[in-house]
Amino acid sequence: QRLFLLLPSLSTSSLLGLGALASLTVYWLLTRPQPVRPPCDLQAQSVAVGVSDPSCRRSALLKDDNLLEFYYDDIRTVYEMFQRGLRISGDGPCLGYRKPGQPYEWISYSEVAQQAQWMGSGMIAKGCQQFVGVYSPNRPEWVISEMACYTYSMALVPLYDTLGTEAMVHILNLGEKTSLKVFIKKEGPRQNKQVRVNRENGFLLSKPESRSHIFRCLPQLPQPQDLAVVCFTSGTTGTPDLRGFVCDPARGRVDLLPASCPHVREDDPGSLTSFNIVSFFLCLPQINPFPSQLTMYCYGARVGFFQGDVSLLMDDIKTLKPTLFPVVPRILNRIYDKVSEGALLHYAVGRKQAELCRGIVRNNSLWDKLVFKKIQASLGGNLRFALTASAPISCTVLSFLRATMGCMICEGYGQTECTGGCTFSLIGDSSTGHVGAPLPCAMVKVVDIPDMNYFAKNGEGEICIRGPSVFKGYLKDPERTAEALDSDGWLHTGDVGQWLPNGTLRIIDRKKHIFKLCQGEYVAPEKIENVYMRSVPVLQVFVHGDSLQSYVVGIVVPDREVFVEWAKERAFVGSYQELCHNPDVKNAVLEDMRAVGKEAGLKSFEQVKELYLHPEMFSIANGLLTPTLKSRRADIRRVFQEQLANMYKTPI
């Protein structure tokens, strides 16, 4: 009442000011950012299966203990996934490629389907029956060959250079027993003179339409129970561990995005057709990008390929302007290392992280426009969602990049044996230090590892997975199949996990890559390596132990972009090569790593006592990394056996 009595006595300018303030308040209330609504209670993301075994859990998105096998009742094979994308996209663009300095060119869904039918007809004419090997780098023709196999109920066997010569020979020898036919793209991988495919089983691929008028047959559509892919991987231990994974990527896989992203609505096909996805230097046959691409096809989205040259990758990304970006932690770490300095930057990150804690994910705030614009522009400026997998990522890096990139970055966990993922962090969950809750297609439990003092009653143990996405077994290798799959169908991963109070899973150790020191302590080198990766001068690190020794040693590849300047700040001058051979610089790096390790809580016996600085990066080309950028531990030990032996001879 008093306010209304006061209004007539106010001047015109005062009234205008109050009106403007009221208008701004209403505008802010109407346009303020709204938090993302998570698909379930973030404090209970998984639930125990039954009451007798609380260590076995399934997704809280499920109504009961029945796992999701097919997301859509009418979509039960990869072929049907692609046909759905063709239908809902309205024959929109599907596969993109570009020439140097040119914009992306697109092949439509109907063109891909037609070329796949032509190519599949040619495969039938060449006598292909069950297994078809495709030897090609990442490019649209690879996907067309893949779809040709699905169209005619043939099992795809991806082949690629980074498997190595011995592995390729092994696969081809195995192929002679399984009637494997190999198709090689003319402009494909570099010529490997040590790998020969005989004329009866090998064919060069030309453009699919070039001979289409000669032979064409009707599609031979697959059934859900049919074999889809035999994916060979040499793992991290080299050729002797080569295995062929027999799996069907359609079963349970389409749930990945819709189940985790509430803004990707089942009743709105257009919400995903505007997505792009960039497929970069990770081999397409590897299981990390594989399910992501198939999911995109199901929703009629576009998939863009890089030119094939890693040095041009960032230019490809800027040109494509991806909205969805599957990436490995190593790339995210490099982005973090380049942009993580500056007081204003850290203040802005703090403000954005406060929004993330409230569930607000956006890239149009004041801080985005003033501080983060260049970072976001380096990835095209349209990024809405990123998925990281294949290796652990630091909590610091993940939180920082979620703020600076203005999109949600979700972390997943899985293996080739479970067709990619079995757990996935949810949109709306800004917490870190875990890999999310089980996907609706997987049941996850932990089992006792007495030797490492992990027990399921404490919510810790070896991670085991069961569900429709788990593979059928290793090709013609029943012994290893029995080792991986127990009698109840549980896949034993070799990773050690811990259930958190909110129902998410944390990876805490590794069962397989461990060794025992002479005093009896067990050491998990990968856990130590992930800690040391946060040391500023360290780009790559390999931790080694010997059961006859009482301590561990390491091989470190310094980060060429920061190492010289880092050394200069500590009064060490020289070229990159000279600094790598300077013992005082080595000791400075060792001191920095040990400080990082102490801060992270490494035990004394887990800290490296001696180092060797190596000036050349571990890479796929030199055989020290797998195609998913994991260390080939056996090969690294072999290459550096002299240096490792000398480090143990050095007095500590």
Side-chain angles (χ1 to χ4, degrees):
Q1 245 182 357
R2 290 180 180 178
L3 180 61
F4 282 108
L5 291 173
L6 181 64
L7 286 176
S9 63
L10 295 176
S11 64
T12 304
S13 59
S14 298
L15 290 172
L16 289 174
L18 285 173
L21 179 61
S23 300
L24 288 173
T25 303
V26 171
Y27 176 78
W28 179 79
L29 289 171
L30 292 175
T31 60
R32 61 180 173 173
Q34 298 297 316
V36 174
R37 184 167 59 90
C40 68
D41 182 2
L42 295 180
Q43 300 308 311
Q45 299 185 35
S46 68
V47 297
V49 177
V51 292
S52 59
D53 189 5
S55 67
C56 179
R57 306 184 72 85
R58 49 90 174 168
S59 172
L61 301 176
L62 296 171
K63 296 179 180 178
D64 51 38
D65 291 346
N66 294 317
L67 297 179
L68 179 71
E69 187 169 4
F70 299 104
Y71 194 78
Y72 299 107
D73 290 335
D74 59 337
I75 307 295
R76 293 174 174 264
T77 64
V78 180
Y79 175 83
E80 291 171 345
M81 290 170 67
F82 188 85
Q83 293 300 311
R84 181 181 188 274
L86 169 62
R87 185 175 68 255
I88 68 173
S89 69
D91 192 22
C94 178
L95 304 177
Y97 62 95
R98 69 183 297 231
K99 298 176 182 177
Q102 300 294 319
Y104 269 84
E105 299 178 42
W106 295 93
I107 305 172
S108 72
Y109 270 83
S110 62
E111 289 174 322
V112 172
Q114 186 181 56
Q115 292 184 22
Q117 189 171 349
W118 287 341
M119 185 174 289
S121 297
M123 292 177 178
I124 296 294
K126 290 292 185 179
C128 294
Q129 297 177 3
Q130 183 178 12
F131 299 104
V132 175
V134 178
Y135 188 42
S136 169
N138 291 6
R139 55 189 299 155
E141 289 83 357
W142 195 100
V143 177
I144 293 170
S145 305
E146 175 192 8
M147 292 303 163
C149 292
Y150 300 147
T151 303
Y152 290 91
S153 301
M154 293 178 284
L156 176 70
V157 184
L159 306 172
Y160 42 98
D161 264 4
T162 50
L163 277 172
T165 300
E166 293 179 55
M168 288 290 295
V169 171
H170 172 88
I171 296 170
L172 294 174
N173 289 339
L174 184 63
E176 292 180 2
K177 304 174 186 177
T178 56
S179 302
L180 172 70
K181 298 287 185 178
V182 180
F183 286 80
I184 305 172
K185 182 61 189 171
K186 279 185 177 179
E187 301 84 5
R190 58 185 178 274
Q191 180 69 23
N192 193 330
K193 296 181 180 178
Q194 300 180 54
V195 178
R196 299 292 184 189
V197 181
N198 63 49
R199 292 185 178 181
E200 293 181 1
N201 291 332
F203 308 97
L204 286 175
L205 293 181
S206 57
K207 288 191 176 296
E209 66 271 18
S210 59
R211 297 180 181 271
S212 59
H213 63 282
I214 298 177
F215 184 86
R216 186 174 181 179
C217 62
L218 294 175
Q220 301 170 16
L221 303 184
Q223 298 301 312
Q225 68 273 13
D226 290 344
L227 177 62
V229 178
V230 178
C231 184
F232 281 92
T233 175
S234 56
T236 58
T237 56
T239 303
D241 199 35
L242 189 75
R243 294 161 291 182
F245 301 89
V246 180
C247 57
D248 181 356
R251 300 173 76 88
R253 290 291 90 215
V254 191
D255 65 299
L256 182 66
L257 275 177
S260 304
C261 308
H263 62 277
V264 178
R265 301 192 304 278
E266 183 179 350
D267 59 348
D268 182 10
S271 65
L272 257 173
T273 53
S274 60
F275 268 66
N276 293 302
I277 178 173
V278 59
S279 179
F280 50 105
F281 58 88
L282 284 180
C283 285
L284 230 176
Q286 291 295 321
I287 210 66
N288 180 15
F290 204 44
S292 302
Q293 285 205 90
L294 294 179
T295 302
M296 292 298 98
Y297 300 140
C298 185
Y299 288 95
R302 293 176 286 174
V303 176
F305 292 87
F306 83 128
Q307 296 177 62
D309 185 347
V310 177
S311 64
L312 300 175
L313 174 61
M314 296 310 296
D315 181 59
D316 290 334
I317 292 174
K318 290 178 183 178
T319 304
L320 182 62
K321 302 183 185 301
T323 47
L324 188 148
F325 190 38
V327 65
V328 292
R330 189 177 297 256
I331 302 300
L332 296 179
N333 289 335
R334 296 298 298 273
I335 296 173
Y336 172 80
D337 291 338
K338 289 181 179 180
V339 301
S340 60
E341 296 182 0
L344 177 61
L345 177 68
H346 282 280
Y347 180 79
V349 167
R351 304 314 307 157
K352 285 293 295 292
Q353 287 176 341
E355 286 192 342
L356 286 171
C357 290
R358 301 199 305 271
I360 298 172
V361 182
R362 59 172 177 158
N363 60 2
N364 59 355
S365 70
L366 178 64
W367 299 113
D368 290 300
K369 295 174 182 177
L370 294 179
V371 182
F372 305 136
K373 188 176 181 179
K374 285 186 178 180
I375 300 173
Q376 294 167 6
S378 68
L379 295 174
N382 290 335
L383 203 59
R384 292 165 55 190
F385 182 84
L387 165 64
T388 176
S390 84
I393 184 170
S394 158
C395 297
T396 302
V397 173
L398 187 57
S399 296
F400 180 89
L401 292 179
R402 280 175 175 173
T404 57
M405 293 168 66
C407 70
M408 196 61 196
I409 305 175
C410 290
E411 186 173 6
Y413 163 75
Q415 295 183 332
T416 304
E417 289 93 334
C418 62
T419 326
C422 67
T423 70
F424 196 74
S425 57
L426 299 178
I427 287 226
D429 183 5
S430 62
S431 62
T432 58
H434 61 82
V435 291
L439 284 168
C441 62
M443 200 175 286
V444 180
K445 71 174 181 178
V446 294
V447 297
D448 295 343
I449 313 176
D451 290 345
M452 300 177 69
N453 205 29
Y454 291 120
F455 298 97
K457 65 181 181 180
N458 301 326
E460 300 174 340
E462 182 183 9
I463 300 169
C464 298
I465 309 162
R466 186 171 69 180
S469 60
V470 172
F471 78 143
K472 296 179 180 180
Y474 298 119
L475 182 66
K476 295 189 176 296
D477 198 342
E479 184 177 340
R480 280 186 171 168
T481 298
E483 290 176 4
L485 292 172
D486 64 25
S487 57
D488 295 323
W490 288 97
L491 168 66
H492 291 251
T493 65
D495 292 315
V496 181
Q498 176 189 45
W499 288 116
L500 300 182
N502 64 352
T504 58
L505 184 68
R506 173 184 290 166
I507 310 299
I508 58 174
D509 214 332
R510 176 73 177 162
K511 180 183 176 183
K512 293 182 180 178
H513 295 313
I514 63 172
F515 45 78
K516 185 189 288 188
L517 299 179
C518 64
Q519 303 100 324
E521 300 102 334
Y522 283 97
V523 176
E526 290 175 326
K527 181 186 79 171
I528 302 171
E529 291 163 1
N530 289 329
V531 170
Y532 285 152
M533 286 292 290
R534 294 274 41 88
S535 175
V536 173
V538 174
L539 176 63
Q540 295 171 318
V541 58
F542 173 79
V543 172
H544 171 75
D546 191 311
S547 60
L548 300 178
Q549 303 292 339
S550 60
Y551 58 91
V552 295
V553 296
I555 307 289
V556 167
V557 178
D559 189 338
R560 188 179 290 270
E561 295 184 6
V562 302
F563 186 49
V564 174
E565 190 63 31
W566 180 88
K568 189 175 180 181
E569 292 173 357
R570 288 154 181 78
F572 299 113
V573 180
S575 66
Y576 177 79
Q577 298 276 350
E578 291 169 344
L579 292 171
C580 285
H581 294 97
N582 187 326
D584 294 327
V585 175
K586 179 199 71 175
N587 291 333
V589 174
L590 179 59
E591 182 180 347
D592 189 89
M593 289 172 58
R594 290 175 62 83
V596 171
K598 184 177 180 180
E599 184 180 352
L602 291 183
K603 298 179 177 66
S604 176
F605 64 84
E606 293 177 310
Q607 294 269 33
V608 295
K609 301 297 191 293
E610 186 59 63
L611 275 186
Y612 172 74
L613 298 184
H614 185 60
E616 183 184 351
M617 285 180 59
F618 304 157
S619 67
I620 298 172
N622 60 28
L624 301 182
L625 292 183
T626 71
T628 52
L629 304 184
K630 295 177 183 176
S631 298
R632 291 188 183 273
R633 308 197 71 84
D635 292 323
I636 294 176
R637 280 193 295 270
R638 175 179 51 79
V639 170
F640 294 99
Q641 57 184 342
E642 181 181 347
Q643 290 86 348
L644 293 171
N646 289 336
M647 281 189 276
Y648 279 120
K649 294 176 183 177
T650 304
I652 300 301

